[in-house]
Amino acid sequence: MATILLLHGPNLNLLGKRETSIYGNSTLDSINRSVSHLCFSDGHSVVNFQSNHEGALVDRIQQAMDESIDVIIFNPAAYTHTSIALRDSLLAVKIPFYEVHLSNPKEREEFRHTSYFSDIAVAVYSGLGAESYTQAAKAAIEFLDE
């Protein structure tokens, strides 16, 4: 059995209430349950973590190394376009990760077109709403089962 860290960045705690025309009606809790169910049904466990604070996300990524986390599914949210610290922490722990976005950053404001993570992620899933998480989880499961 492998363990997947489902990591959520800033403002994702407001899903279902915030800009539903962009992010949809799914709540963070419903996304966590859906991904957990999918992973559990394949024999893998999931640990969920959300923070609005960059340092807390860095700490959680570093902690993952000591917990033997096998894969990370990460929606860095607004930190996608700004956080060298999160990028460096992912490189440091050497845990494979999938980048996830509910909306498609390439179809939004120009400042959202640059990701500090896409080039080091196993894959990127975006623009599918909550299904972006599901697709990343399926890919992570396939990766783990190989």
Side-chain angles (χ1 to χ4, degrees):
M1 179 196 316
T3 304
I4 298 168
L5 173 60
L6 187 54
L7 190 61
H8 310 281
N11 298 311
L12 294 172
N13 56 306
L14 298 177
L15 287 178
K17 301 174 189 172
R18 157 186 188 239
E19 298 173 282
T20 56
S21 62
I22 296 172
Y23 301 111
N25 294 313
S26 295
T27 64
L28 187 60
D29 189 49
S30 68
I31 290 169
N32 286 339
R33 280 194 315 269
S34 176
V35 170
S36 293
H37 177 73
L38 181 63
C39 294
F40 289 153
S41 68
D42 202 62
H44 304 296
S45 64
V46 176
V47 175
N48 303 303
F49 184 80
Q50 186 278 329
S51 181
N52 295 318
H53 306 283
E54 184 178 32
L57 293 165
V58 168
D59 289 344
R60 189 63 189 94
I61 291 166
Q62 291 177 4
Q63 181 183 344
M65 188 169 59
D66 295 331
E67 295 174 335
S68 300
I69 296 288
D70 298 287
V71 172
I72 298 171
I73 298 172
F74 186 27
N75 184 342
Y79 290 134
T80 302
H81 325 289
T82 64
S83 185
I84 295 168
L86 285 168
R87 176 190 172 90
D88 287 350
S89 66
L90 288 162
L91 287 169
V93 300
K94 298 179 183 172
I95 298 171
F97 78 96
Y98 294 81
E99 181 182 352
V100 173
H101 301 283
L102 295 160
S103 66
N104 184 346
K106 303 279 188 205
E107 295 177 356
R108 299 188 58 199
E109 303 93 338
E110 189 165 332
F111 69 86
R112 296 185 194 274
H113 294 187
T114 300
S115 168
Y116 282 33
F117 306 99
S118 297
D119 66 316
I120 60 171
V122 174
V124 179
Y125 294 89
S126 67
L128 305 170
E131 184 66 19
S132 294
Y133 281 94
T134 304
Q135 293 302 314
K138 288 177 181 177
I141 290 167
E142 186 175 314
F143 172 83
L144 291 167
D145 289 348
E146 287 179 355

